[in-house]
Amino acid sequence: KQEVTQIPAALSVPEGENLVLNCSFTDSAIYNLQWFRQDPGKGLTSLLLIQSSQREQTSGRLNASLDKSSGRSTLYIAASQPGDSATYLCAAYSGGGADGLTFGKGTHLIIQP
Amino acid sequence: EAGVAQSPRYKIIEKRQSVAFWCNPISGHATLYWYQQILGQGPKLLIQFQNNGVVDDSQLPKDRFSAERLKGVDSTLKIQPAKLEDSAVYLCASSLDRPNIQYFGAGTRLSVL
């Protein structure tokens, strides 16, 4: 059974800093890995999706990497802004009979102005 | 393009009462998911539909939870009777096909007193 762990659970940094969020998964036989953002009282917004054949994906100031062999993914946020404050969730999709995502508990990020 | 619509946004009930949630997926999306997100946790898949058929409901507590997707479009999730531990945000997601990026609604926050 796939398990996803995110470290740290919470992070607070001054505006302008670069930061890294970590995600690890127990079953390396994943189909893809996805990073989401969740704002209070709102649903999840997909940020980046990395297919199992890819090593990284970039969107603006965000860069996500995937290392299947070590069961790890990182989300790098460059030049953080107060608007980046949210909870970031990673989710692994393992394929098979169903398509449900296995989520980590998330990292609650606060960017101090 | 309209997103995934869910209603109600909030619901407060007493234990042993019944409650129903409604989801309207993005037009043309064949796959629909219901997730349960307990405070401080990542979302957990409850049930997945492909058109109006169930793909996976292995984590749905079938003694009290039920879901249907008539005509392969809208879906309802029902809890009867509710327990205190059912307090959570219930998220609906849809995807164009299997497997594909999942788009999430804003969720329904349920409080069971």
Side-chain angles (χ1 to χ4, degrees), chain B residues 16-62:
Chain B
R16 291 189 290 273
Q17 286 187 326
S18 302
V19 65
F21 313 127
W22 173 81
C23 173
N24 179 238
I26 293 173
S27 177
H29 280 197
T31 313
L32 185 147
Y33 313 79
W34 283 102
Y35 288 84
Q36 179 193 57
Q37 186 177 22
I38 293 172
L39 185 65
Q41 306 285 322
K44 180 185 79 171
L45 180 70
L46 292 177
I47 188 167
Q48 175 187 344
F49 291 95
Q50 178 72 12
N51 296 307
N52 60 351
V54 175
V55 174
D56 178 37
D57 62 358
S58 58
Q59 298 193 90
L60 187 73
K62 298 180 186 62

Side-chain angles (χ1 to χ4, degrees), chain A residues 1 31-32 34 36 38 40-46 49 89 93 96-106, chain B residues 9-10 31 33 35 37 40-45 48 55-56 59 91 98-102 104-107 109:
Chain A
K1 177 184 175 184
Y31 191 90
N32 61 48
Q34 199 164 354
F36 291 87
Q38 186 170 33
K42 297 187 178 181
L44 280 66
T45 302
S46 179
L49 183 149
L89 295 153
Y93 167 56
D99 306 319
L101 300 173
T102 301
F103 284 85
K105 293 183 178 180
Chain B
R9 289 298 312 277
Y10 306 93
T31 313
Y33 313 79
Y35 288 84
Q37 186 177 22
Q41 306 285 322
K44 180 185 79 171
L45 180 70
Q48 175 187 344
V55 174
D56 178 37
Q59 298 193 90
L91 295 163
R98 303 179 57 195
N100 214 309
I101 293 176
Q102 298 181 23
F104 284 78
R109 182 176 297 277

Side-chain angles (χ1 to χ4, degrees), chain A residues 14-106:
Chain A
E15 179 179 3
E17 284 199 3
N18 304 324
L19 57 99
V20 175
L21 306 181
N22 297 292
C23 171
S24 62
F25 46 94
T26 55
D27 185 354
S28 61
I30 62 171
Y31 191 90
N32 61 48
L33 188 132
Q34 199 164 354
W35 283 91
F36 291 87
R37 168 182 174 142
Q38 186 170 33
D39 293 282
K42 297 187 178 181
L44 280 66
T45 302
S46 179
L47 298 173
L48 290 164
L49 183 149
I50 312 175
Q51 302 289 355
S52 62
S53 58
Q54 299 174 319
R55 296 283 298 195
E56 64 180 87
Q57 280 286 337
T58 298
S59 176
R61 295 182 293 107
L62 305 179
N63 176 277
S65 68
L66 175 64
D67 184 343
K68 284 181 57 179
S69 62
S70 65
R72 299 172 69 174
S73 176
T74 61
L75 178 66
Y76 175 82
I77 302 177
S80 58
Q81 303 171 357
D84 295 331
S85 298
T87 296
Y88 290 80
L89 295 153
C90 73
Y93 167 56
S94 301
D99 306 319
L101 300 173
T102 301
F103 284 85
K105 293 183 178 180

